[in-house]
Amino acid sequence: MTGSPEPYQLLPELPPEAFASLKADIAARGVLVPVEVDEAGAIVDGHHRVRAWSELRAEGVRVPDYPRVVRRFASEQEKFTHALRLNLTRRHLDQAGRRVLAGELRRRGLSLRVIGDALGIDASTVGRSLQGVADATPELVRGRDGKRYPARRPEAPALFVQGGRDEKRALAALAALPEGARSPSNLLRAEERARSAALARRRAEQVPPRSTGRAWEVRSGDFREVLGDLPDHSVDAIVTDPPYNAAGVALLDDLGAFAARVLKPGRLLACYVGKLAFDDEIAALGRHLSWVWCGAVFLPGRHVQIRSRMIRTRWRPVLLFSKGPYEPRGWLLDSTTSEGRGEKGVEDHHWQQTTGPFVRWVEQLTRPGELVVDPFVGGGTTGLACLCTGRRFVGSDLDKGAVSLTVERLEAAEGGERPGGEHEKDEPA
């Protein structure tokens, strides 16, 4: 909403295509839905209809005068509420649209309760939707009774921590939170929200379809499409870490088919997986590939809690499948230990893992100069492992934020900087 809108034009302007369609309909049939005005003649509902009608008249199109409904309202608040309800029945706003509308109503001086009444949600939900909306809180707001009150402003977010080490983490997390964010319940939650905000900022940036370095390439998009040009039997290994949720498990069938096409005969797919759908994961990959083994990565530090099973776990399975009969190229060690204790930085990917285990898988499965592919780059850990060991790398991700982070880390590593943010990946409880 830009410029100086009419007092009761509260929703965003119609998109150009929608307005053009409305205008064409009015040119053909006139204004069918009456325009609502108050006792002073101000338009309460029907701004777009009047605008289209006025433009047609100015263009010389003969359209009849539009019908009106004249209402007498008891208060300004009643006008706002009536205008909103009429418009919300015609427009299906998504979460982002409601957030924009809530910000506009707040800037116009309405209290959280009044906005909640109009949108059909509670005041606390309105408050959450306004977090991070710039200049969304005026000095005074109008309450349900029509009177003006000082606006409640959220307190600056704060965290209780113990020790200097956690103090540094808290400062980094609070600095990365969006403006207007509420105080997180604990340090881990603050870091999670900071990482979400960092990824959201990256997703809003322009990400090239392909980014390249001396021996690596990262593509933005669904691997089934953006990696479709990789030649058959051209890849020496696939080392990847798909999401462990239901959507990720559903992708394993397509991952198996992709691996069966691009892997060289007898070469391996090493796929990190969760444990809750272990049987489904094995079955999906096994429809296209030959079962070889299950490796393990041991995770020091805090336990990962699987609350639905009341199990604390400290290891991650890595499924090994081959394209056709497995052709060993040397001895494989099936277990390794992750470095660090599982902490993540505020700029890291949610599922970012330590580089060490990936380095060991890449070294065992391939030789220097060979090609490694990762269809789910996440934070780029497989790519970093390839850079460290002299392998070529091609990766992709559907998440533009993950692609942006991966490219940044690979460019930093290629430039001689030590890669950071290498941590443990949690499994959904």
Side-chain angles (χ1 to χ4, degrees):
M1 302 177 188
T2 59
S4 300
E6 294 290 335
Y8 311 109
Q9 186 178 350
L10 304 175
L11 296 188
E13 292 285 344
L14 283 175
E17 300 83 359
F19 180 76
S21 176
L22 172 66
K23 187 173 176 180
D25 185 75
I26 291 176
R29 303 191 296 165
V31 176
L32 301 180
V33 179
V35 174
E36 300 216 10
V37 299
D38 66 8
E39 62 278 5
I43 299 174
V44 176
D45 176 64
H47 298 84
H48 289 103
R49 278 165 274 156
V50 173
R51 176 185 153 199
W53 177 87
S54 300
E55 289 183 5
L56 289 168
R57 280 285 186 97
E59 295 165 4
V61 180
R62 299 182 63 181
V63 288
D65 199 0
Y66 55 85
R68 296 163 172 81
V69 172
V70 182
R71 290 187 186 274
R72 178 178 178 181
F73 296 93
S75 64
E76 285 294 303
Q77 176 54 44
E78 188 177 352
K79 293 181 189 179
F80 276 109
T81 302
H82 182 71
L84 272 174
R85 286 174 179 167
L86 287 175
N87 281 274
L88 288 174
T89 58
R90 300 192 194 100
R91 293 211 215 171
H92 300 286
L93 296 182
D94 57 12
Q95 186 175 5
R98 284 183 176 271
R99 179 184 174 88
V100 170
L101 178 56
E104 176 66 16
L105 295 178
R106 187 65 165 170
R107 281 187 284 271
R108 292 195 180 202
L110 300 185
S111 71
L112 299 182
R113 288 184 177 180
V114 171
I115 297 172
D117 291 343
L119 298 181
I121 55 180
D122 59 63
S124 61
T125 302
V126 175
R128 286 193 296 272
S129 72
L130 291 175
Q131 290 178 17
V133 177
D135 303 323
T137 303
E139 293 297 326
L140 297 174
V141 295
R142 184 168 58 247
R144 286 171 170 169
D145 58 3
K147 297 180 180 178
R148 297 281 183 175
Y149 298 94
R152 289 185 298 171
R153 298 179 180 274
E155 296 182 358
L159 284 169
F160 174 80
V161 296
Q162 292 181 330
R165 180 170 174 272
D166 284 351
E167 179 184 345
K168 293 179 181 178
R169 291 173 59 193
L171 288 172
L174 292 175
L177 289 177
E179 183 180 352
R182 295 177 305 152
S183 291
S185 56
N186 55 55
L187 178 56
L188 290 178
R189 183 60 59 85
E191 290 177 328
E192 289 174 359
R193 285 165 57 179
R195 284 191 290 274
S196 295
L199 274 179
R201 288 193 297 272
R202 291 182 179 277
R203 289 173 185 137
E205 299 170 354
Q206 291 293 328
V207 177
R210 298 191 183 194
S211 301
T212 59
R214 286 193 294 270
W216 59 267
E217 181 177 327
V218 178
R219 305 177 183 183
S220 178
D222 190 317
F223 76 94
R224 293 166 291 192
E225 299 172 2
V226 299
L227 298 182
D229 63 342
L230 290 180
D232 295 354
H233 322 304
S234 63
V235 175
D236 296 284
I238 297 175
V239 180
T240 191
D241 186 15
Y244 304 155
N245 53 25
V249 174
L251 288 171
L252 293 186
D253 189 277
D254 289 332
L255 174 63
F258 170 75
R261 182 181 71 80
V262 301
L263 278 174
K264 295 177 180 178
R267 301 297 173 85
L268 289 175
L269 159 74
C271 183
Y272 279 59
V273 294
K275 304 186 191 75
L276 290 173
F278 204 43
D279 53 343
D280 293 332
E281 292 159 342
I282 293 175
L285 294 173
R287 280 192 279 273
H288 307 277
L289 303 168
S290 299
W291 164 260
V292 175
W293 203 250
C294 179
V297 176
F298 296 104
L299 310 172
R302 65 185 181 90
H303 295 282
V304 177
Q305 295 184 341
I306 313 299
R307 297 184 182 276
S308 61
R309 305 290 171 86
M310 297 185 67
I311 294 175
R312 295 186 177 96
T313 178
R314 276 189 172 176
W315 73 284
R316 178 74 65 219
V318 182
L319 300 182
L320 300 178
F321 281 83
S322 68
K323 182 197 184 153
Y326 175 45
E327 300 176 6
R329 306 175 75 192
W331 288 96
L332 295 183
L333 181 63
D334 69 355
S335 62
T336 185
T337 300
S338 178
E339 65 268 31
R341 300 188 63 81
E343 299 91 348
K344 294 181 176 67
V346 295
E347 294 292 326
D348 293 344
H349 193 277
H350 288 295
W351 299 331
Q352 200 158 295
Q353 301 210 43
T354 54
T355 305
F358 282 78
V359 167
R360 288 184 275 280
W361 290 119
V362 167
E363 287 181 324
Q364 293 190 101
L365 272 54
T366 61
R367 294 170 182 163
E370 293 187 340
L371 176 61
V372 178
V373 170
D374 182 358
F376 306 93
V377 295
T381 309
T382 303
L384 288 174
C386 291
L387 262 63
C388 293
T389 58
R391 273 68 171 174
R392 295 177 294 124
F393 174 73
V394 174
S396 68
D397 207 294
L398 189 61
D399 184 348
K400 292 194 297 183
V403 172
S404 171
L405 176 58
T406 295
V407 171
E408 182 179 292
R409 296 182 77 202
L410 292 177
E411 289 177 341
E414 197 172 50
E417 297 182 25
R418 185 175 181 177
E422 303 168 353
H423 306 291
E424 170 188 330
K425 172 174 173 179
D426 293 341
E427 182 169 359

